[in-house]
Amino acid sequence: MRTIILDGYNVILRSPAFRPDERRDLKAAREKLVNLLSWALGGSGQIDFVVVFDGADVAAAQRRTVKSTGSSKVTVHFSEPPLKADDVIKTLVIELAPRNDVTVVTSDLEVARHARGEGASIVLSDLFAASLFKERVEEQLNEAVERGKQLHGKKRTGSPTAEGSDAEKKQEGVSKKNAAAWMKLFSEQQREAEENDF
């Protein structure tokens, strides 16, 4: 069984296709991601998706685990404050990695290192989101370049729709130091994959 654990807000906030705006609030963005995973990807029994969101912006009554009924199995978890989604992801990796083929989709270097340490593979949230909308990759790249030009020298205000979530802090670009650390993680992952092919 293959399990893909997603840092939900990382994926949502790093993709124009999901990001909240004047047409879509954070709840609608979450639903769009879950629906896409549920109905458009994989076949029944091939992949289990586990999407984890910070629960700080969700009422306690709505923070229950939800399972979808699409063609793929999708389970949604909300962290219980003061825990963050990162904490829940780490716990899930520890539980699932010994018996499943686990991939963690995140842009958080600490979560990625933890996942690799537990034997899981990692995928950057940006790359995963882009892969969901391949026809929009070029448009997304152009938008990212334009946003970079607009943000240069200006202070970001962030999205008011993710208040209480640490996802806003993680939306900034990757530093050279973090980029080098990511490259090291991906290199180790690639080397292990090549060794296993022989």
Side-chain angles (χ1 to χ4, degrees):
M1 176 59 67
R2 181 174 181 92
T3 302
I4 300 177
I5 302 173
L6 291 90
D7 187 333
Y9 287 146
N10 267 193
V11 175
I12 287 173
L13 295 175
R14 291 176 176 270
S15 172
F18 295 115
R19 192 176 302 126
D21 57 22
E22 63 278 351
R23 299 169 291 143
R24 175 177 46 241
D25 64 9
L26 195 57
K27 181 179 179 187
R30 288 191 303 256
E31 290 172 356
K32 182 176 181 177
L33 174 62
V34 170
N35 286 336
L36 181 65
L37 295 174
S38 194
W39 293 103
L41 299 177
S44 180
Q46 294 177 358
I47 299 174
D48 282 343
F49 289 101
V50 179
V51 186
V52 182
F53 296 107
D54 284 320
D57 66 329
V58 178
Q62 297 174 343
R63 281 190 227 125
R64 64 189 185 288
T65 299
V66 179
K67 294 186 180 190
S68 72
T69 58
S71 62
S72 291
K73 187 173 140 193
V74 180
T75 304
V76 177
H77 292 276
F78 290 94
S79 65
E80 291 283 340
L83 295 177
K84 299 287 187 184
D86 295 354
D87 303 316
V88 175
I89 292 169
K90 289 176 183 178
T91 301
L92 288 168
V93 169
I94 290 169
E95 290 173 6
L96 298 173
R99 62 182 189 275
N100 292 323
D101 180 12
V102 174
T103 299
V104 175
V105 178
T106 186
S107 294
D108 185 288
L109 189 56
E110 181 184 335
V111 172
R113 282 186 178 136
H114 177 270
R116 290 295 300 139
E118 295 294 327
S121 57
I122 52 172
V123 174
L124 278 170
S125 297
D126 307 65
L127 298 176
F128 183 82
S131 74
L132 296 177
F133 301 97
K134 291 177 184 171
E135 68 279 358
R136 294 194 58 196
V137 170
E138 185 175 329
E139 177 185 338
Q140 290 173 356
L141 289 173
N142 291 335
E143 287 176 7
V145 168
E146 190 58 36
R147 273 195 316 275
K149 290 177 185 175
Q150 292 172 357
L151 292 175
H152 184 69
K154 294 181 182 178
K155 181 178 166 98
R156 286 190 71 248
T157 58
S159 168
T161 59
E163 287 182 36
S165 167
D166 66 344
E168 278 297 315
K169 298 176 208 159
K170 297 175 188 173
Q171 193 175 356
E172 294 294 335
V174 178
S175 69
K176 288 183 181 180
K177 182 179 176 182
N178 280 348
W182 273 108
M183 290 306 296
K184 181 179 177 186
L185 277 172
F186 282 123
S187 296
E188 290 169 0
Q189 183 172 299
Q190 182 64 33
R191 187 173 48 254
E192 288 175 14
E194 289 170 359
E195 289 172 0
N196 290 333
D197 285 343
F198 289 106

